[in-house]
Amino acid sequence: MGLKLAAALVVATLLTVSDTVEAARTQAFHGARDTSVTVSDTGRSYLRAHQLAGGGFAEPGGAPSVQLTAWAVLGLRSAGSSPRAGALAYLQAHDDELASTTDLELAAMAETVLGAPPKQLLARIERLERRNGAIGPNVNSTIWGILALRQAGRRVPKPAVRYLQRRQGKSGGWPWYPGGQPDSNDTAAAVEALRAAGVRGKPIRRGLAYLHGLQRRDGGFELTRGRASDAQSTAWAIQAFLAAAKAPPRGALAYLRRMRTSNGSFRYSARYVTTPVWVTAQVLPALARRPFPL
């Protein structure tokens, strides 16, 4: 859900990062000069080129991770493609190592779209529901819990839906955690989760209105007010409108297409090229016009 990244890690969660940190990690990111793939005009080819022999996906020159592998799987499946053999086995081999709620939820979604709904992971997610309705510790983990359950065709607990609705801010947006600042990524994901749970009407309209307020003149969307457009925030916003059966805002898809590079990957923004596998994986569902759950 665009984002608070640790400099050397791809995480499964939606976070924010200052421009100073972002510039530093971009300058140090060797993948900005990625030569591991031939020229391609499709993000699918780029992603598939970064699946390693063990089945996992990695940024150029980096090590594979469950989180990045799950994002790559979701991106490829949304675009009508599949990873090479080994991705499912890689994910399943790491199931017992997943500690955070969002890691469980992301891995469960990826395994489900590969045709193997993980009963144990899904059961763990269901056991994480709290007395107040939250799934796990945060608003974000509740969003992804709803999406993971619906991806697997499971019932969403009504208290979780009510919890998520109560966490919508006065602005119409949703934050990462209770009391936090709303952002485009969590808001878009919340709209997708609520729509997947059958919610319509005012909460959805307010969420989309909040997102509209974050669209920049270049057609892209910013993470929070006062920032520049970025590809991941734009992709999330597009998915939210699609989930609500609305056309993507004018200029948004064109912005994403402008972020495509000659090797088929997507820039994080007009200014920065960083974590291209992750960015590309999150852009593909929007370009394929596929909201979550797939």
Side-chain angles (χ1 to χ4, degrees):
M1 341 84 263
L3 306 159
K4 201 188 249 179
L5 291 170
L9 296 176
V10 176
V11 295
T13 51
L14 309 173
L15 311 166
T16 58
V17 62
S18 71
D19 288 336
T20 300
V21 173
E22 187 171 8
R25 70 174 180 148
T26 304
Q27 292 166 2
F29 178 61
H30 46 75
R33 297 180 298 278
D34 185 8
T35 58
S36 62
V37 295
T38 57
V39 173
S40 166
D41 64 356
T42 71
R44 293 177 299 181
S45 298
Y46 183 84
L47 287 185
R48 286 171 60 87
H50 288 84
Q51 184 178 4
L52 305 186
F57 285 75
E59 295 291 353
S65 71
V66 171
Q67 297 90 343
L68 187 59
T69 300
W71 280 120
V73 166
L74 292 173
L76 287 169
R77 295 300 298 133
S78 73
S81 186
S82 298
R84 299 194 308 273
L88 178 59
Y90 175 86
L91 290 169
Q92 292 173 329
H94 292 84
D95 279 354
D96 292 339
E97 303 168 15
L98 301 174
S100 78
T101 304
T102 47
D103 285 353
L104 291 175
E105 294 159 344
L106 185 63
M109 285 187 69
E111 292 180 28
T112 298
V113 301
L114 289 175
K119 293 181 179 180
Q120 290 186 338
L121 291 187
L122 292 167
R124 288 174 65 185
I125 292 168
E126 291 173 332
R127 289 196 299 270
L128 287 167
E129 184 183 356
R130 301 187 175 194
R131 293 182 64 182
N132 65 356
I135 300 175
N138 291 310
V139 177
N140 181 269
S141 60
T142 303
I143 292 169
W144 283 95
I146 292 172
L147 289 172
L149 292 173
R150 290 306 302 137
Q151 185 70 68
R154 295 205 177 189
R155 180 186 63 84
V156 175
K158 291 183 179 179
V161 177
R162 290 195 292 267
Y163 171 87
L164 187 54
Q165 290 180 290
R166 290 195 302 269
R167 293 300 177 268
Q168 187 172 24
K170 293 181 179 179
S171 65
W174 276 269
W176 167 268
Y177 57 90
Q181 179 185 11
D183 65 82
S184 60
N185 295 195
D186 284 293
T187 298
V191 169
E192 292 177 81
L194 289 176
R195 287 295 301 119
V199 175
R200 302 176 183 272
K202 188 175 180 179
I204 305 302
R205 291 194 299 270
R206 292 182 63 221
L208 296 183
Y210 171 82
L211 290 173
H212 262 304
L214 295 179
Q215 187 172 24
R216 303 290 297 247
R217 293 180 65 182
D218 60 6
F221 285 75
E222 56 193 350
L223 179 65
T224 56
R225 296 189 189 281
R227 296 176 58 89
S229 301
D230 70 78
Q232 285 165 296
S233 295
T234 303
W236 281 110
I238 289 170
Q239 284 184 283
F241 281 89
L242 293 170
K246 303 292 184 181
R250 185 174 182 179
L253 287 166
Y255 172 86
L256 286 185
R257 295 187 186 105
R258 291 198 302 275
M259 294 302 104
R260 188 166 54 196
T261 71
S262 61
N263 67 10
S265 68
F266 287 80
R267 303 175 64 89
Y268 172 71
S269 67
R271 186 177 181 185
Y272 299 119
V273 175
T274 185
T275 55
V277 174
W278 187 30
V279 174
T280 301
Q282 291 200 335
V283 165
L284 286 184
L287 290 180
R289 297 174 181 258
R290 297 285 304 280
F292 292 131
L294 300 177

